Amino acid sequence: MSMSVEIRQGADGEGAVCPAPAVVSRDAMGRRKANRKTSRDRADGRAKMTGAPVVGRSVALLHVLAALLWLPQAGLLAFSVGRIAGGAPMMAIVPAAAAVLILGLVKAWLEKMAARLSFRAARAALSQRRLEALQAVAKVSPLDLSRTASGEAAGVLAEAAEALVPYLSRFQPARMKATIIPLVFVLAILPFTWIAALVLLLAMPTIPLFMALIGWQAKAASEKQLAETGNMNAFLLDRLRGLETIRTLKAVNLTAERLSVDAQNLKKRTMAVLRIAFLSSAVLELFAALGVAMTAVYIGFHLLGFLDFGAWGHKLTLAEGLFILLLAPAFFEPLRELSAVWHDRAAGEAALDALGKLTAGGATIAGEGADVASVPSPTPGLLEINNLSFAYPSAPPVIENLNLTVQQGERVAILGSSGCGKSTVLSLIAGLAEAGEGSIRIGGVKLDHATADGLRRTIGWVSQRPFFFAGSLKANIRFGRSGVSDGMVEETLRRTGLDELGHARRHLQIGDGGYGVSGGEAVRLAIARAFADPATQLVLADEPTAHLDRETAALVTDNLLQLANGRTLIVATHDPVLAARMDRIVDMTAIHSRGQP
Amino acid sequence: MIARFAILRPVIALFWSARRGMLLAGAVLAVTTVLAGIGLLGVSGWFITATAIAGLLPATAYAFDVFAPSAAIRLLALARTAARYGERMTTHEATLSVLAALREKLFRGFAAPQAAKSLEARPARLLNRLTADIDALDSLYLRVLVPAAVAILAAIATGFGLAFLHPMAGILAASFLIVAGLGISARAALRAEKFSRRRAIGLEALRARTTDLVSGQTELLTTGRLSAQVAAVKRADDYLSACDDSLNRIETNAGFSFGVSAAVLLSAALLGMAWLAEQGAVSAPAAALGLLVCFAALEPFTALRRGAMELGRTLFSARRIAPRLSATVEGRCPVLPVSGMAAKLEDVHLEREGNDNPVLTNINLAIAAGERVAIIGPSGAGKTSLIQLLAGELQPAAGTVSALPSTLMTQRSQLFRDSIADNLRLAKPAATSNELWDALTAAGLAEHVKSLAAGLETRLGEAGQGLSGGQSRRLALARFLLADRPLWLLDEVTEGLDGETARDVLTRLFARAEGNTVVMITHNRREAEFAERIIVLKEGRQFDECQSGAPEYGVVLKTLRPD
């Protein structure tokens, strides 16, 4: 199973110094034993995911049994009417009526049980698949460019996956009912009349045939068209995102009218498609209605003696005739039900595919992402990189034979324009991807799959666009870490000069995506977060002053240096002012041309 | 209990005003379908019983009028099929019509000035919530109102029909059908509402936590919190699972109740018909008719069961959306300043909720017509809020604001999924093709658009996808130039662009700025250089100010980013 990774050009056209793309074979990626194993697992995972019916056959049979209880009920009803016609008093009918009632109660109870069992099985399957996909997503490396975007992953795991439950709980029983019940009913009628049985038997395959002829295709097209109503939502949401512009251009009315006109057009197109799609379901209705009608007309004429064939030489009694009539509509019911849940199937299969894609994953991080105790290290804060190489698949190495040693407490800037791999170096140090060649030792301990989680306890990270969850400022600093107390948070805020911000904003929640804090404040808060944990020995900062004005950039640099305080700091940046304030500058462009720092 | 259903009133009122005729037609056809079905089975039952009795003797057999009933039966079968087809067509068309009305109303509701504030803080979450709620309301007509109408009308018709056999039979049957049908549905719907609400919350939490997991993966990993986040998502799923289970329990219980009602009705009808036949009040064929009519009258129950659950979900969604469906408030434009002035702020104080410190304090600013002003300052100093005051988007807590009509060019290009021409026409709907090309030329995008196969009619993707960052900005600029209002408000308009593109955009912008007043927020030198006056804001106050030509002008410029 190949990994699909795309290479995209950097946003700014700089970085001409960095090497141009060439092809590198996958075998050059060296130690991927761990990943090879998991890639096989992923293939297995995908195979495991799709297909396997989850609702046990016994549960589906329960649905069938409940539906079959109509047979004795119909028999009792028909028989009783026969007796009424024969002049029987009401008291004589009571036992039959009681039996109809009891059968009905049992039927209702069986249906309830069957529905509950189907649902529970389907829901458990959903939970399981969600968990599998989730665990896979959590381990995909941030460096993998084919990594699913957050919005899409969330959409698949949340809403799309919901389609599994109706599919798994309704489709299987419906399919079994549509297969078994018509046959059983035909067999039940057969002893009385072969002609009615024959007609019904012929109707069974003919219906789907006609439906297909008229346009099962049209039905599919109609579903696609109905899905286009999703476009109405898309229009609305698209405009809501740009509300500020629409308001400033005084275009609210215009947009609202546009929305209305678009929707009207969509309606016209949809109705044109539905016209045909509904015809195919009309075929089913026609057969069902005509089935009842023709049966009734035949029996009536037969009872009058005008059509004295079709009942094995006998004449039907009233009870037999009514029995056949009562079974006729129920014969078509399973087919109607199957038709109704058919589109659940399409949605369910699509959901299974989407979840499978997520579970397949991509390149993984080093380690499991588990919360483990930090690894005891002989030389805390020391970083040794030996012969490090990294390349995206089918791309030239971004980093080649990099050697770097950073002493404890040293403050180093890795300088270079975008695309030179400086951020990649940081990512590899943090174990966000597995290196191709070479080794990284943090605090004297080699970074690999087994030690990554423990080593990450001692690493702090500052992103260019830091992540915040919707919550209070202090909670975002603490980030749920048990090793970080409120006191440490306050201390760090004080030392970065952010305590005033914290005080002024103490009632304000930070919103999704960092709403409520400006760019500069966000970076400073991320710095506070990285340093708040006393266990942190090494802090990695990825372009902290990008997109900031002079004054704020200086503040950020101040914060970094103040808090570093004996801990090792590595900053990846293209800002010469920031780099100048570090102890040492490692020039990536120079490395690329010379191979040595 | 009625009060809880009353939340649907604004929604239904909206539907009613949109396509009254079609909505009613759909309901009528739906009822016709059910009645045709009842008629078909009833007449068939009567026919078989009558022919069985008549067929006992050849004399009665020949005397029996076969053709009327058999014709009626076939007619009813065809009528049922046709009515069903008609019902599906009209109800779907009606639904699509009210869909359109619903979205338009919602858009207007959101486009009111402060309504969009909540959208800013949590755009993704709110938009998802909106989609789910609209989807729920979409099915109100088709899955709830129509089945309810059908159930009631079919019950009444059944009662009416049976009343011909015996008034008591009619009344009992009708009452039983209505009470059972509506009672069970209503109870299920009300109980489902609570769990629908919880389910929606759970689903939102699942989505949000997954989004956080993916967007914040690096931070979560490096703080050792990744597995905790996975566990949090799992917890959301467990919560959802419990809600789903409760909802399923409610649904299957409703199904069970309907099943019990059906059983009761059938056996009671059998006994009732038997009793009436014994009394000589009805003949045997009529008894068969009565029994089969009762059997067929149970058809609406299935749709009611689904509708009940749907109603629970709808009630909850309606509660969230209904406020937005009420009348909109048009934005208030600031008062016009005296002639010769472009904008004036006097003693303006501005506060923002959740912030102890006021956003702007004691702002006194007078901008003459034709002036070019740059507003600079550290992040969070209140620059954007100042611009929004001038635009009329915010109202000051104290002081007065007056400004000419303005257009704002936002920091991020807000383009839409539309053709390039339509994106431009937002600024000026009546713009001719020449005017569009003129604007594009002025913005430096004309060459690129000419090179595209569809030219002006090229469709952009969601949020204007299809153009590069620089091109998007140029398109936004062209649109801005097309709007042509006297006061120009610019919010970091070349942010994120490379140096060359940025300078080009600025040159073109200011080439067209003759006679317009420009107020711009900026962080970099190249933009501020175009300003005659630079105002420095710090912590919501006016900190400094300088004119071009003065020595401090150069000093202030140097504090800005070079590129």
Side-chain angles (χ1 to χ4, degrees), chain B residues 249-260:
Chain B
R249 210 167 359 101
I250 295 173
E251 186 177 357
T252 48
N253 281 339
F256 179 71
S257 304
F258 278 125
V260 168

Side-chain angles (χ1 to χ4, degrees), chain B residues 121-133:
Chain B
R122 302 208 183 175
R125 178 173 292 206
L126 241 126
L127 292 178
N128 280 317
R129 184 183 284 190
L130 195 60
T131 314
D133 287 339

